[in-house]
Every structure is written in structure tokens, then in C-alpha cells.
Amino acid sequence: MEIGNDIFEKIGKPSMGVPEGYFDSLKSRLESIPSAKVSHPGVWAGMRPYLALAASFAAIVLIGNALLRDTVKNQSADPFYSEDSYADIISITNPELLYNESEFDMEELSDEDIINYLIESGVRTEHLAYAGDQY
Amino acid sequence: MTDKEILDLYNSGQRELAFKELVNSYSERLYWHIRRLLCSHEDTDDLLQDIFVKIWSSLSTFRGESQLYTWLYRIATNESLNFLQKQKIRAALQFESMTSKIEERIDEDTLLDGDQLQRDLMKAIQRLPSKQRTVFIMRWFDDLSYEDISEILGTSVGALKASYHFASEKIKAELEKNLK
């Protein structure tokens, strides 16, 4: 069945409703905006997800650095360690191990924080689709 | 009260009274505009409050370079599109489809008083790309002129007409599919 150009007039605009008395209560709520003290989210609240992520990266770098130093110290102190022993690093750079040993508690970073961070950082659904294609 | 009278009142120092008049003149119109974009009474109600807070806090920066009403529509449209974009990302991160969520909303909306064809029309509108959907809603539902839409969205009239044409064709194709 082919639809003509007048289809939109024939169908008509769908009528949407609102709860009874809604617009009266809406107006009185909106009119009170100037007298209400508008609370702006503090700088801290806005920065929280970014700081949490920055803290997690800093924790990973610090722990990685400390572990590497420790390994190098052991290597120089003990002649048993050869260059091949660098392979030992692999076991302790296991990300899971790092997270477990980190003082930063990843549980503090909720899914909601991560989602908010991604949204605020301007990620678009196209980026997510691209990232999805990588795996 | 006209836009000019509202602005004169605001500039004379009676800011709260001017804002009250602005709410009287525009709250309902902006409500319907946002509701058509979001397809949800609850979301519209939440967002409208935020939009009027934004209007109140930035009214002092309004320089009168555009009409007051296109300025208000621009704020409302931008905020609504940002809201939808955030919802879309949130849904994608949770491996859900925003389109099917909105379609469910349309099916379950008890405040939408329309027959099946009208619900199909609403769904077809929601499946349009963001820009085409916005232009179609502003032109067909809100009866705004292309010149006003151009001022609100910052797009040329020619581009808007093309967007509206493509949107209409897509909607018609969707409705044809449903009628087969």
C-alpha cells in the first residue's frame, strides 16, 4: 500500500496528556526558582569521577614503579638474578594482582561513576561501537 | 505579555516578576516541545525544571541578538538533545537499545491518547537520526517556521527543508511497511 503526501494530515498529531492540574503545579514550581537558592553542584562533585580515575592511574603507576624498583634492587643484590630474570616481572604485573595489592579501592569507583565520566568526557555512541568492534 | 514587555520588565529590575511572566508564557509550550522529543512525561518534567533554572541563571546574559522565544527554544532543544545523547550512551554501555526502550515507552504511555497508527508514527519519528527527528518535530508538531528553526538550530533553511523531506520520506516508508 502506497502512502500519499497527505498521510500526516490523515493520521493527525497524536494527542498527549498530562496528569490533572499538572500545568498549574508546574507553573508554581517554576515560578519559585528565583526565590529558591539554586544549588550549583560544587567543583568537588563535578571533579569527583575524574579525580577517582586519575587516582587509580596514579596508584597503578606508583605500584608498578615500586615493584620494578624492588625487582631491580633484588637483581643487583643477588648475582643469581640474570637478565633473563626480568621474566619474573610478568607475574607481578598481572593487572589483577596490581588491583588487589593497590591501596586504592576500585570498588569506590562505581559503574555509575565510569558511565558519568564517559558521558562528561564527550564519548559518543559511535566511539562505543568502534571500541566494540575491537574485541 | 509580549517578549519585549518581559524583557523591559527584567531590565527595569523587576527580575522575579519578569521570570514569572516568562514561565506563564513559555512553560507549557516548552513542555510540549520537550515531551515530543523525549517521549516521556516524567523525563520532561525533570528536565524542564533544570531548563528553567538555566534560563533564570543566564537571562542576564541575553543580549537580544535573537528573539527571546528562539533563545528559549534553543536552550530547551540543546538540553533535550544532550539528555537523549546521555541516555543513549548509558543504554549502550549497559548493552541495551535506546530505540527499543523508547518504543516500549510509547507502547506503555498511558498519557498518549492515540490509535495504533499514531503510535506507529511516534515510533517512526523516534527511529529518525537526531537532526531529522528534531527538525520534523519542530516543523510538524510545533508548527515553527523554517526561519525560526534555522535561528534555533543554527542551520540554513535549505538544509532544514532537505532534513524535513528525508524525515517525511523515511516515516512514510516505515508506515507503509506496517500497513502491508
Side-chain angles (χ1 to χ4, degrees):
Chain A
M1 178 177 175
E2 198 168 318
I3 289 178
N5 282 331
D6 58 348
I7 183 68
F8 299 121
E9 280 68 40
K10 276 187 189 161
I11 294 178
K13 295 176 185 176
S15 135
M16 298 171 183
V18 291
E20 212 178 314
Y22 171 70
F23 284 116
D24 290 334
S25 72
L26 174 73
K27 278 179 188 168
S28 60
R29 250 190 305 139
L30 297 179
E31 281 169 5
S32 67
I33 287 173
S35 50
K37 194 178 177 186
V38 181
S39 63
H40 298 287
V43 178
W44 170 245
M47 293 294 288
R48 198 171 155 258
Y50 300 97
L51 290 174
L53 269 176
S56 66
F57 287 127
I60 290 166
V61 169
L62 281 174
I63 290 165
N65 194 22
L67 289 171
L68 273 172
R69 264 193 213 174
D70 192 40
T71 311
V72 171
K73 205 191 291 171
N74 284 344
Q75 183 189 0
S76 57
D78 188 344
F80 177 76
Y81 283 91
S82 67
E83 282 187 12
D84 294 337
S85 302
Y86 276 111
D88 288 349
I89 294 170
I90 294 167
S91 62
I92 55 170
T93 48
N94 177 342
E96 206 172 328
L97 200 62
L98 284 177
Y99 289 133
N100 291 340
E101 289 191 353
S102 164
E103 284 179 15
F104 180 78
D105 186 1
M106 284 300 283
E107 282 176 14
E108 277 180 19
L109 205 61
S110 67
D111 286 352
E112 193 64 15
D113 286 336
I114 294 169
I115 289 172
N116 285 336
Y117 167 76
L118 289 170
I119 290 171
E120 296 305 327
S121 63
V123 72
R124 302 184 66 81
T125 42
E126 293 78 13
H127 299 150
L128 298 177
Y130 176 76
D133 287 344
Q134 305 301 301
Y135 299 103
Chain B
M1 201 175 250
T2 64
D3 287 357
K4 191 182 174 308
E5 287 168 334
I6 292 173
L7 288 172
D8 286 345
L9 200 60
Y10 185 84
N11 292 330
S12 72
Q14 299 188 70
R15 296 182 169 196
E16 293 196 11
L17 190 59
F19 184 74
K20 194 177 169 183
E21 291 299 334
L22 193 143
V23 167
N24 271 325
S25 302
Y26 285 103
S27 57
E28 212 167 317
R29 284 162 75 179
L30 291 181
Y31 169 88
W32 289 117
H33 175 58
I34 300 163
R35 171 85 182 269
R36 284 161 194 146
L37 285 168
L38 304 189
C39 280
S40 156
H41 167 71
E42 288 74 20
D43 287 347
T44 304
D45 186 50
D46 287 345
L47 191 62
L48 197 60
Q49 178 87 17
D50 294 345
I51 286 170
F52 271 90
V53 168
K54 196 160 267 187
I55 290 171
W56 168 247
S57 58
S58 51
L59 202 53
S60 57
T61 65
F62 179 70
R63 299 269 169 263
E65 287 155 358
S66 58
Q67 300 174 70
L68 178 65
Y69 111 94
T70 53
W71 184 74
L72 296 171
Y73 263 81
R74 194 184 309 150
I75 293 175
T77 307
N78 285 342
E79 290 296 314
S80 304
L81 294 179
N82 281 342
F83 183 85
L84 281 173
Q85 181 67 13
K86 287 178 184 181
Q87 276 197 330
K88 202 174 159 189
I89 293 170
R90 194 176 296 276
L93 289 168
Q94 290 162 348
F95 302 102
E96 289 172 351
S97 154
M98 193 57 206
T99 312
S100 48
K101 265 185 156 183
I102 291 185
E103 286 181 6
E104 268 173 42
R105 256 185 225 170
I106 293 171
D107 281 332
E108 290 162 10
D109 190 353
T110 52
L111 295 170
L112 177 61
D113 183 23
D115 56 24
Q116 190 52 48
L117 202 53
Q118 288 182 326
R119 284 179 194 262
D120 289 344
L121 171 68
M122 291 297 291
K123 288 180 193 172
I125 293 170
Q126 293 307 320
R127 279 186 217 118
L128 292 171
S130 170
K131 184 152 195 186
Q132 288 177 14
R133 185 175 65 239
T134 310
V135 173
F136 187 84
I137 287 174
M138 292 174 111
R139 181 79 190 115
W140 191 63
F141 272 110
D142 298 343
D143 288 320
L144 295 177
S145 69
Y146 280 118
E147 287 69 25
D148 285 345
I149 302 173
S150 164
E151 204 176 308
I152 294 164
L153 298 180
T155 311
S156 72
V157 170
L160 291 174
K161 285 182 179 172
S163 287
Y164 184 80
H165 171 75
F166 287 128
S168 313
E169 291 303 312
K170 282 182 190 171
I171 294 169
K172 275 192 265 180
E174 285 272 335
L175 294 175
E176 262 176 36
K177 248 195 300 180
N178 291 349
L179 288 172
K180 270 180 189 169

mmCIF file of all heavy atoms in Angstrom, chain A residues 39-80:
data_model
loop_
_atom_site.group_PDB
_atom_site.id
_atom_site.type_symbol
_atom_site.label_atom_id
_atom_site.label_comp_id
_atom_site.label_asym_id
_atom_site.label_seq_id
_atom_site.Cartn_x
_atom_site.Cartn_y
_atom_site.Cartn_z
ATOM 1 N N SER A 39 21.133 25.542 44.040
ATOM 2 C CA SER A 39 22.418 24.960 44.461
ATOM 3 C C SER A 39 23.154 24.425 43.243
ATOM 4 O O SER A 39 22.683 23.546 42.550
ATOM 5 C CB SER A 39 22.175 23.832 45.466
ATOM 6 O OG SER A 39 21.441 22.816 44.841
ATOM 7 N N HIS A 40 24.291 25.041 42.992
ATOM 8 C CA HIS A 40 25.130 24.561 41.897
ATOM 9 C C HIS A 40 25.970 23.408 42.424
ATOM 10 O O HIS A 40 26.437 23.468 43.550
ATOM 11 C CB HIS A 40 26.063 25.679 41.418
ATOM 12 C CG HIS A 40 25.300 26.837 40.875
ATOM 13 N ND1 HIS A 40 24.663 26.798 39.664
ATOM 14 C CD2 HIS A 40 25.033 28.055 41.403
ATOM 15 C CE1 HIS A 40 24.062 27.962 39.460
ATOM 16 N NE2 HIS A 40 24.265 28.728 40.504
ATOM 17 N N PRO A 41 26.139 22.371 41.628
ATOM 18 C CA PRO A 41 26.995 21.290 42.099
ATOM 19 C C PRO A 41 28.405 21.835 42.320
ATOM 20 O O PRO A 41 28.897 22.605 41.501
ATOM 21 C CB PRO A 41 26.975 20.283 40.944
ATOM 22 C CG PRO A 41 26.442 21.014 39.762
ATOM 23 C CD PRO A 41 25.661 22.171 40.281
ATOM 24 N N GLY A 42 28.982 21.510 43.448
ATOM 25 C CA GLY A 42 30.304 22.035 43.779
ATOM 26 C C GLY A 42 31.361 21.550 42.797
ATOM 27 O O GLY A 42 31.126 20.592 42.062
ATOM 28 N N VAL A 43 32.488 22.230 42.834
ATOM 29 C CA VAL A 43 33.597 21.848 41.948
ATOM 30 C C VAL A 43 34.015 20.419 42.267
ATOM 31 O O VAL A 43 34.265 19.607 41.384
ATOM 32 C CB VAL A 43 34.788 22.807 42.155
ATOM 33 C CG1 VAL A 43 35.966 22.399 41.288
ATOM 34 C CG2 VAL A 43 34.363 24.240 41.840
ATOM 35 N N TRP A 44 34.040 20.121 43.571
ATOM 36 C CA TRP A 44 34.458 18.789 44.008
ATOM 37 C C TRP A 44 33.550 17.714 43.426
ATOM 38 O O TRP A 44 34.034 16.692 42.915
ATOM 39 C CB TRP A 44 34.472 18.745 45.539
ATOM 40 C CG TRP A 44 34.648 17.355 46.074
ATOM 41 C CD1 TRP A 44 33.766 16.642 46.800
ATOM 42 C CD2 TRP A 44 35.793 16.496 45.895
ATOM 43 N NE1 TRP A 44 34.275 15.397 47.097
ATOM 44 C CE2 TRP A 44 35.524 15.273 46.548
ATOM 45 C CE3 TRP A 44 37.010 16.643 45.227
ATOM 46 C CZ2 TRP A 44 36.405 14.218 46.562
ATOM 47 C CZ3 TRP A 44 37.903 15.573 45.245
ATOM 48 C CH2 TRP A 44 37.593 14.380 45.908
ATOM 49 N N ALA A 45 32.201 17.960 43.473
ATOM 50 C CA ALA A 45 31.251 16.958 42.970
ATOM 51 C C ALA A 45 31.476 16.721 41.480
ATOM 52 O O ALA A 45 31.436 15.590 41.005
ATOM 53 C CB ALA A 45 29.828 17.419 43.238
ATOM 54 N N GLY A 46 31.734 17.793 40.762
ATOM 55 C CA GLY A 46 31.931 17.660 39.323
ATOM 56 C C GLY A 46 33.228 16.952 38.975
ATOM 57 O O GLY A 46 33.318 16.223 37.992
ATOM 58 N N MET A 47 34.248 17.186 39.814
ATOM 59 C CA MET A 47 35.577 16.639 39.516
ATOM 60 C C MET A 47 35.750 15.215 40.037
ATOM 61 O O MET A 47 36.724 14.548 39.693
ATOM 62 C CB MET A 47 36.647 17.529 40.162
ATOM 63 C CG MET A 47 36.754 18.918 39.582
ATOM 64 S SD MET A 47 37.332 18.890 37.897
ATOM 65 C CE MET A 47 39.046 18.453 38.165
ATOM 66 N N ARG A 48 34.811 14.775 40.873
ATOM 67 C CA ARG A 48 34.994 13.513 41.585
ATOM 68 C C ARG A 48 35.328 12.323 40.661
ATOM 69 O O ARG A 48 36.326 11.633 40.887
ATOM 70 C CB ARG A 48 33.756 13.214 42.427
ATOM 71 C CG ARG A 48 34.013 12.195 43.497
ATOM 72 C CD ARG A 48 32.864 12.061 44.462
ATOM 73 N NE ARG A 48 32.902 10.746 45.063
ATOM 74 C CZ ARG A 48 32.134 9.748 44.721
ATOM 75 N NH1 ARG A 48 31.232 9.916 43.790
ATOM 76 N NH2 ARG A 48 32.243 8.580 45.299
ATOM 77 N N PRO A 49 34.519 12.085 39.594
ATOM 78 C CA PRO A 49 34.845 10.947 38.741
ATOM 79 C C PRO A 49 36.229 11.059 38.101
ATOM 80 O O PRO A 49 36.951 10.070 37.997
ATOM 81 C CB PRO A 49 33.765 10.971 37.664
ATOM 82 C CG PRO A 49 32.775 11.989 38.043
ATOM 83 C CD PRO A 49 33.333 12.800 39.152
ATOM 84 N N TYR A 50 36.604 12.309 37.705
ATOM 85 C CA TYR A 50 37.912 12.496 37.072
ATOM 86 C C TYR A 50 39.028 12.213 38.077
ATOM 87 O O TYR A 50 40.025 11.572 37.761
ATOM 88 C CB TYR A 50 38.054 13.936 36.546
ATOM 89 C CG TYR A 50 37.010 14.290 35.515
ATOM 90 C CD1 TYR A 50 35.857 14.963 35.873
ATOM 91 C CD2 TYR A 50 37.185 13.932 34.180
ATOM 92 C CE1 TYR A 50 34.895 15.283 34.924
ATOM 93 C CE2 TYR A 50 36.232 14.240 33.226
ATOM 94 C CZ TYR A 50 35.085 14.916 33.601
ATOM 95 O OH TYR A 50 34.147 15.211 32.680
ATOM 96 N N LEU A 51 38.835 12.739 39.300
ATOM 97 C CA LEU A 51 39.855 12.538 40.330
ATOM 98 C C LEU A 51 39.991 11.060 40.685
ATOM 99 O O LEU A 51 41.096 10.557 40.873
ATOM 100 C CB LEU A 51 39.508 13.349 41.584
ATOM 101 C CG LEU A 51 39.647 14.866 41.425
ATOM 102 C CD1 LEU A 51 39.134 15.586 42.663
ATOM 103 C CD2 LEU A 51 41.113 15.254 41.192
ATOM 104 N N ALA A 52 38.847 10.383 40.730
ATOM 105 C CA ALA A 52 38.882 8.958 41.067
ATOM 106 C C ALA A 52 39.666 8.192 40.009
ATOM 107 O O ALA A 52 40.496 7.329 40.328
ATOM 108 C CB ALA A 52 37.463 8.417 41.181
ATOM 109 N N LEU A 53 39.416 8.519 38.743
ATOM 110 C CA LEU A 53 40.144 7.835 37.671
ATOM 111 C C LEU A 53 41.633 8.184 37.705
ATOM 112 O O LEU A 53 42.488 7.320 37.571
ATOM 113 C CB LEU A 53 39.556 8.218 36.316
ATOM 114 C CG LEU A 53 38.457 7.290 35.829
ATOM 115 C CD1 LEU A 53 37.867 7.806 34.539
ATOM 116 C CD2 LEU A 53 38.980 5.874 35.620
ATOM 117 N N ALA A 54 41.911 9.493 37.918
ATOM 118 C CA ALA A 54 43.310 9.921 37.987
ATOM 119 C C ALA A 54 44.017 9.201 39.135
ATOM 120 O O ALA A 54 45.161 8.743 38.989
ATOM 121 C CB ALA A 54 43.385 11.429 38.173
ATOM 122 N N ALA A 55 43.312 9.071 40.272
ATOM 123 C CA ALA A 55 43.894 8.408 41.440
ATOM 124 C C ALA A 55 44.193 6.944 41.120
ATOM 125 O O ALA A 55 45.233 6.405 41.525
ATOM 126 C CB ALA A 55 42.948 8.508 42.631
ATOM 127 N N SER A 56 43.279 6.307 40.376
ATOM 128 C CA SER A 56 43.509 4.891 40.070
ATOM 129 C C SER A 56 44.721 4.724 39.158
ATOM 130 O O SER A 56 45.540 3.838 39.359
ATOM 131 C CB SER A 56 42.262 4.258 39.449
ATOM 132 O OG SER A 56 42.025 4.846 38.201
ATOM 133 N N PHE A 57 44.861 5.631 38.176
ATOM 134 C CA PHE A 57 46.028 5.554 37.289
ATOM 135 C C PHE A 57 47.315 5.825 38.072
ATOM 136 O O PHE A 57 48.319 5.128 37.899
ATOM 137 C CB PHE A 57 45.901 6.549 36.135
ATOM 138 C CG PHE A 57 44.885 6.125 35.114
ATOM 139 C CD1 PHE A 57 43.862 6.972 34.725
ATOM 140 C CD2 PHE A 57 44.948 4.852 34.526
ATOM 141 C CE1 PHE A 57 42.920 6.573 33.796
ATOM 142 C CE2 PHE A 57 44.010 4.449 33.593
ATOM 143 C CZ PHE A 57 42.993 5.301 33.224
ATOM 144 N N ALA A 58 47.247 6.831 38.943
ATOM 145 C CA ALA A 58 48.429 7.172 39.740
ATOM 146 C C ALA A 58 48.821 5.990 40.618
ATOM 147 O O ALA A 58 50.013 5.656 40.738
ATOM 148 C CB ALA A 58 48.150 8.400 40.587
ATOM 149 N N ALA A 59 47.815 5.327 41.193
ATOM 150 C CA ALA A 59 48.090 4.178 42.064
ATOM 151 C C ALA A 59 48.761 3.068 41.271
ATOM 152 O O ALA A 59 49.743 2.462 41.729
ATOM 153 C CB ALA A 59 46.781 3.681 42.683
ATOM 154 N N ILE A 60 48.268 2.839 40.060
ATOM 155 C CA ILE A 60 48.845 1.773 39.224
ATOM 156 C C ILE A 60 50.299 2.103 38.881
ATOM 157 O O ILE A 60 51.195 1.263 38.990
ATOM 158 C CB ILE A 60 48.001 1.586 37.942
ATOM 159 C CG1 ILE A 60 46.649 0.976 38.316
ATOM 160 C CG2 ILE A 60 48.718 0.697 36.928
ATOM 161 C CD1 ILE A 60 45.620 1.043 37.226
ATOM 162 N N VAL A 61 50.540 3.363 38.495
ATOM 163 C CA VAL A 61 51.901 3.767 38.124
ATOM 164 C C VAL A 61 52.840 3.650 39.322
ATOM 165 O O VAL A 61 53.943 3.102 39.220
ATOM 166 C CB VAL A 61 51.907 5.220 37.571
ATOM 167 C CG1 VAL A 61 53.325 5.749 37.428
ATOM 168 C CG2 VAL A 61 51.190 5.269 36.227
ATOM 169 N N LEU A 62 52.392 4.139 40.486
ATOM 170 C CA LEU A 62 53.236 4.099 41.691
ATOM 171 C C LEU A 62 53.563 2.664 42.089
ATOM 172 O O LEU A 62 54.708 2.332 42.391
ATOM 173 C CB LEU A 62 52.523 4.812 42.848
ATOM 174 C CG LEU A 62 52.583 6.334 42.819
ATOM 175 C CD1 LEU A 62 51.722 6.918 43.932
ATOM 176 C CD2 LEU A 62 54.036 6.803 42.979
ATOM 177 N N ILE A 63 52.553 1.819 42.070
ATOM 178 C CA ILE A 63 52.781 0.430 42.488
ATOM 179 C C ILE A 63 53.701 -0.273 41.481
ATOM 180 O O ILE A 63 54.638 -0.987 41.854
ATOM 181 C CB ILE A 63 51.434 -0.309 42.641
ATOM 182 C CG1 ILE A 63 50.709 0.258 43.863
ATOM 183 C CG2 ILE A 63 51.641 -1.808 42.812
ATOM 184 C CD1 ILE A 63 49.259 -0.116 43.930
ATOM 185 N N GLY A 64 53.426 -0.007 40.194
ATOM 186 C CA GLY A 64 54.272 -0.606 39.147
ATOM 187 C C GLY A 64 55.708 -0.174 39.320
ATOM 188 O O GLY A 64 56.631 -0.995 39.260
ATOM 189 N N ASN A 65 55.886 1.117 39.586
ATOM 190 C CA ASN A 65 57.221 1.676 39.778
ATOM 191 C C ASN A 65 57.909 1.036 40.986
ATOM 192 O O ASN A 65 59.073 0.633 40.925
ATOM 193 C CB ASN A 65 57.080 3.197 39.964
ATOM 194 C CG ASN A 65 58.424 3.895 39.835
ATOM 195 O OD1 ASN A 65 59.330 3.341 39.240
ATOM 196 N ND2 ASN A 65 58.533 5.076 40.399
ATOM 197 N N ALA A 66 57.177 0.913 42.088
ATOM 198 C CA ALA A 66 57.733 0.348 43.318
ATOM 199 C C ALA A 66 58.129 -1.110 43.086
ATOM 200 O O ALA A 66 59.215 -1.551 43.517
ATOM 201 C CB ALA A 66 56.698 0.448 44.437
ATOM 202 N N LEU A 67 57.293 -1.845 42.392
ATOM 203 C CA LEU A 67 57.587 -3.263 42.135
ATOM 204 C C LEU A 67 58.820 -3.406 41.240
ATOM 205 O O LEU A 67 59.670 -4.267 41.471
ATOM 206 C CB LEU A 67 56.368 -3.926 41.468
ATOM 207 C CG LEU A 67 55.150 -4.121 42.376
ATOM 208 C CD1 LEU A 67 53.952 -4.579 41.571
ATOM 209 C CD2 LEU A 67 55.456 -5.130 43.471
ATOM 210 N N LEU A 68 58.907 -2.533 40.240
ATOM 211 C CA LEU A 68 60.060 -2.587 39.334
ATOM 212 C C LEU A 68 61.354 -2.288 40.085
ATOM 213 O O LEU A 68 62.353 -2.976 39.931
ATOM 214 C CB LEU A 68 59.875 -1.575 38.197
ATOM 215 C CG LEU A 68 59.102 -2.102 36.985
ATOM 216 C CD1 LEU A 68 58.818 -0.970 36.015
ATOM 217 C CD2 LEU A 68 59.877 -3.207 36.288
ATOM 218 N N ARG A 69 61.294 -1.250 40.937
ATOM 219 C CA ARG A 69 62.481 -0.870 41.724
ATOM 220 C C ARG A 69 62.926 -2.012 42.608
ATOM 221 O O ARG A 69 64.099 -2.332 42.719
ATOM 222 C CB ARG A 69 62.141 0.333 42.607
ATOM 223 C CG ARG A 69 62.556 1.628 41.982
ATOM 224 C CD ARG A 69 62.483 2.694 43.025
ATOM 225 N NE ARG A 69 62.100 3.935 42.393
ATOM 226 C CZ ARG A 69 61.847 5.024 43.042
ATOM 227 N NH1 ARG A 69 61.863 5.039 44.341
ATOM 228 N NH2 ARG A 69 61.537 6.118 42.403
ATOM 229 N N ASP A 70 61.922 -2.629 43.249
ATOM 230 C CA ASP A 70 62.191 -3.732 44.146
ATOM 231 C C ASP A 70 62.888 -4.859 43.385
ATOM 232 O O ASP A 70 63.869 -5.447 43.854
ATOM 233 C CB ASP A 70 60.866 -4.212 44.742
ATOM 234 C CG ASP A 70 61.102 -5.166 45.895
ATOM 235 O OD1 ASP A 70 62.037 -4.895 46.677
ATOM 236 O OD2 ASP A 70 60.385 -6.179 45.979
ATOM 237 N N THR A 71 62.404 -5.130 42.193
ATOM 238 C CA THR A 71 62.968 -6.207 41.380
ATOM 239 C C THR A 71 64.409 -5.885 40.990
ATOM 240 O O THR A 71 65.292 -6.738 41.068
ATOM 241 C CB THR A 71 62.129 -6.389 40.099
ATOM 242 O OG1 THR A 71 60.777 -6.455 40.493
ATOM 243 C CG2 THR A 71 62.504 -7.649 39.363
ATOM 244 N N VAL A 72 64.604 -4.621 40.575
ATOM 245 C CA VAL A 72 65.959 -4.215 40.167
ATOM 246 C C VAL A 72 66.917 -4.297 41.347
ATOM 247 O O VAL A 72 68.044 -4.758 41.217
ATOM 248 C CB VAL A 72 65.915 -2.780 39.581
ATOM 249 C CG1 VAL A 72 67.322 -2.248 39.364
ATOM 250 C CG2 VAL A 72 65.146 -2.795 38.277
ATOM 251 N N LYS A 73 66.438 -3.906 42.546
ATOM 252 C CA LYS A 73 67.276 -3.945 43.753
ATOM 253 C C LYS A 73 67.684 -5.399 44.046
ATOM 254 O O LYS A 73 68.823 -5.717 44.270
ATOM 255 C CB LYS A 73 66.493 -3.367 44.935
ATOM 256 C CG LYS A 73 67.411 -2.803 46.024
ATOM 257 C CD LYS A 73 66.645 -2.479 47.271
ATOM 258 C CE LYS A 73 65.719 -1.304 47.103
ATOM 259 N NZ LYS A 73 64.829 -1.130 48.259
ATOM 260 N N ASN A 74 66.700 -6.292 43.972
ATOM 261 C CA ASN A 74 66.955 -7.709 44.216
ATOM 262 C C ASN A 74 67.977 -8.240 43.222
ATOM 263 O O ASN A 74 68.869 -9.017 43.562
ATOM 264 C CB ASN A 74 65.670 -8.522 44.072
ATOM 265 C CG ASN A 74 64.778 -8.342 45.286
ATOM 266 O OD1 ASN A 74 65.251 -7.874 46.318
ATOM 267 N ND2 ASN A 74 63.520 -8.693 45.152
ATOM 268 N N GLN A 75 67.802 -7.784 41.985
ATOM 269 C CA GLN A 75 68.673 -8.272 40.930
ATOM 270 C C GLN A 75 70.128 -7.871 41.181
ATOM 271 O O GLN A 75 71.026 -8.681 41.054
ATOM 272 C CB GLN A 75 68.205 -7.700 39.600
ATOM 273 C CG GLN A 75 68.994 -8.210 38.424
ATOM 274 C CD GLN A 75 68.652 -7.460 37.164
ATOM 275 O OE1 GLN A 75 67.829 -6.563 37.204
ATOM 276 N NE2 GLN A 75 69.268 -7.811 36.089
ATOM 277 N N SER A 76 70.318 -6.572 41.569
ATOM 278 C CA SER A 76 71.683 -6.102 41.786
ATOM 279 C C SER A 76 72.278 -6.686 43.056
ATOM 280 O O SER A 76 73.487 -6.904 43.155
ATOM 281 C CB SER A 76 71.719 -4.575 41.815
ATOM 282 O OG SER A 76 70.837 -4.136 42.809
ATOM 283 N N ALA A 77 71.448 -6.993 44.040
ATOM 284 C CA ALA A 77 71.962 -7.523 45.307
ATOM 285 C C ALA A 77 72.321 -9.008 45.181
ATOM 286 O O ALA A 77 73.235 -9.476 45.834
ATOM 287 C CB ALA A 77 70.918 -7.323 46.399
ATOM 288 N N ASP A 78 71.579 -9.690 44.381
ATOM 289 C CA ASP A 78 71.775 -11.135 44.281
ATOM 290 C C ASP A 78 72.284 -11.492 42.884
ATOM 291 O O ASP A 78 71.588 -11.308 41.893
ATOM 292 C CB ASP A 78 70.420 -11.810 44.545
ATOM 293 C CG ASP A 78 70.577 -13.315 44.656
ATOM 294 O OD1 ASP A 78 71.633 -13.826 44.237
ATOM 295 O OD2 ASP A 78 69.634 -13.962 45.130
ATOM 296 N N PRO A 79 73.531 -12.026 42.811
ATOM 297 C CA PRO A 79 74.080 -12.352 41.488
ATOM 298 C C PRO A 79 73.296 -13.462 40.795
ATOM 299 O O PRO A 79 73.438 -13.679 39.603
ATOM 300 C CB PRO A 79 75.509 -12.804 41.810
ATOM 301 C CG PRO A 79 75.514 -13.128 43.256
ATOM 302 C CD PRO A 79 74.452 -12.328 43.913
ATOM 303 N N PHE A 80 72.454 -14.146 41.563
ATOM 304 C CA PHE A 80 71.664 -15.210 40.977
ATOM 305 C C PHE A 80 70.752 -14.668 39.862
ATOM 306 O O PHE A 80 70.466 -15.335 38.886
ATOM 307 C CB PHE A 80 70.821 -15.882 42.070
ATOM 308 C CG PHE A 80 69.915 -16.960 41.552
ATOM 309 C CD1 PHE A 80 70.436 -18.216 41.213
ATOM 310 C CD2 PHE A 80 68.570 -16.746 41.394
ATOM 311 C CE1 PHE A 80 69.608 -19.211 40.739
ATOM 312 C CE2 PHE A 80 67.735 -17.733 40.923
ATOM 313 C CZ PHE A 80 68.253 -18.981 40.595
#
